[in-house]
Amino acid sequence: MELNRRTVMAGAAAAGLAATTLGTGSAEAATGGHAGRKPVKELFGTLADGTKVYRWSLANGGTRLKVLSYGGIVQTLEIPDRHGRHANVVAGFDNLADYVAKSPYFGALIGRYGNRIGKGRFTLDGTAYQLSVNDGVNSLHGGAKGFDKHVWHVEPFTRGSDVGLHLHYTSGDGEMGYPGTLRTKVTYTLDRHGDWRIDYEATTDKATVVNLTSHVYWNLTGEGSGTIEDHELSIAASRYTPTDSGLIPTGELAEVAGTPFDFRHAKPIGRDIRAGHEQQVQAKGYDHNWVLDKGITAKPEHIATLRDPRSGRTLKIASDQPGLQFYSGNFLDGTLTGTGGRTYRQGDALCLETQHFPDSPNHANFPSTVLRPGQTYRTTTVHTFGR
């Protein structure tokens, strides 16, 4: 989700941030892909206030991952193709300044609330709250300075054959208008098979709403390689949530049958993307929440498969969440240059964000996102890579 939607540049300017990028190091070579080897840390850059931002490199089971302490951003993720050749398959920048000034949430951790809340308002236990609005009149991805624009405390770990990072951030009561002090822990794990698991946890001292997710932009052919319209996608969902012109859900749970939103059987993303459906016209493509058939589950279950016929790479996603936001990179416009030196145009990457539904606090028929003192928010998403 993204620039236009998405006044990221304004949010960064409001935060008063600027950055200086440092050269890359040899951390990737140091990790070597050995199972269970501790992640390697290197300085990536410095924010205007002097805060240092670090990059962590880890590898396991054929997957190589680079993560920034700024926003918990996945800067690169490399996996092999059918011939065993590795490529970075996520969009991002090679410098901190671009992440601060103009990133459309590339690879970031999103909070307190992933996706949109209409007019930035909701009422909880009789109290009305006004949130930071940063997408027209709406609040997007936690407001002007969401979790993606903070530096997280990172702790590396090895556990048996697993390797990973614990990321911690505490959001104060009233930050971006949200009630309660929210203590958040997100764990990135690479296992011996190369699967990437994300575990989210949060607690609060006051009733609040929470909806955490990851905003990775995928292109399985390789970052900067061109369109994702030939990627084949399946989503285990019979319904989706239509939106108004501001991309806020109307409250309807509409059937996908007979519409371009039917991905119950795998099909190329480009097959119906220009079908002229009213919902696609206002979103400039796909930018909607799919209502997963499985609902909320006790453990992650398979919900979507993405396959690139050119490289043979596949991505399977499992989650315990009730929704999946599929965004087809509609607002990439050629003004951003990625890690490989190529510009990103419309449809050059896509997002698959596991989540509760957008604007849930304002729709009683949507699954609740309320978290209360004494409760622990927990959710897990697993990415399995194949070829």
Side-chain angles (χ1 to χ4, degrees), residues 292-308:
L292 299 171
D293 291 340
K294 70 173 188 60
I296 300 172
T297 48
K299 61 182 181 179
E301 296 184 9
H302 176 258
I303 59 169
T305 298
L306 183 68
R307 177 179 178 271
D308 170 36

Side-chain angles (χ1 to χ4, degrees), residues 88-129:
N88 173 29
V89 296
V90 302
F93 299 117
D94 65 359
N95 65 89
L96 182 57
D98 282 350
Y99 279 112
V100 171
K102 54 188 176 183
S103 177
Y105 305 99
F106 281 155
L109 288 175
I110 301 298
R112 285 189 192 188
Y113 200 96
N115 219 298
R116 294 176 176 80
I117 294 181
K119 296 183 172 57
R121 300 174 187 163
F122 69 93
T123 299
L124 178 58
D125 296 338
T127 299
Y129 295 95

